[in-house]
Amino acid sequence: MTDSTAPTGYTVEYVDGPLKGQIDTRLYVDGAYDKTFGVIALVDGLESNFEYTAVGERELNGQTHVSYSFDAASSDSPVSDDNAQDLGEALV
């Protein structure tokens, strides 16, 4: 039986890479946040997969916030910080 008052999701904070400065919400999987995950976003009109890895966690107003860092080696194509500013809305 699960506790109906337990939070079901957490806030994602992108600390660098193509999604730097954006936030998102994700659902817990088996009661825990994702250690890594991929995000599909458009770059120059092409879909690219960007991998992110959890680097920190904090509680803010009773909500878990997890900071994620860009993993360029595991992502599709290299993206410079200049290109990161030009990305449109991420498709999750």
Side-chain angles (χ1 to χ4, degrees), residues 1-9 28 31:
M1 181 182 239
T2 60
D3 181 0
S4 62
T5 61
T8 59
Y28 287 119

Side-chain angles (χ1 to χ4, degrees), residues 66-81:
V66 182
S67 299
Y68 285 87
S69 183
F70 179 57
D71 182 354
S74 298
S75 297
D76 278 349
S77 57
V79 176
S80 69
D81 285 336

Side-chain angles (χ1 to χ4, degrees), residues 1 8 15 18 20 27 30 37 39 45 67 86 90 92:
M1 181 182 239
T8 59
V15 297
K20 180 180 179 179
L27 296 177
D30 294 328
F37 64 87
V39 178
S67 299
D86 297 332
V92 180

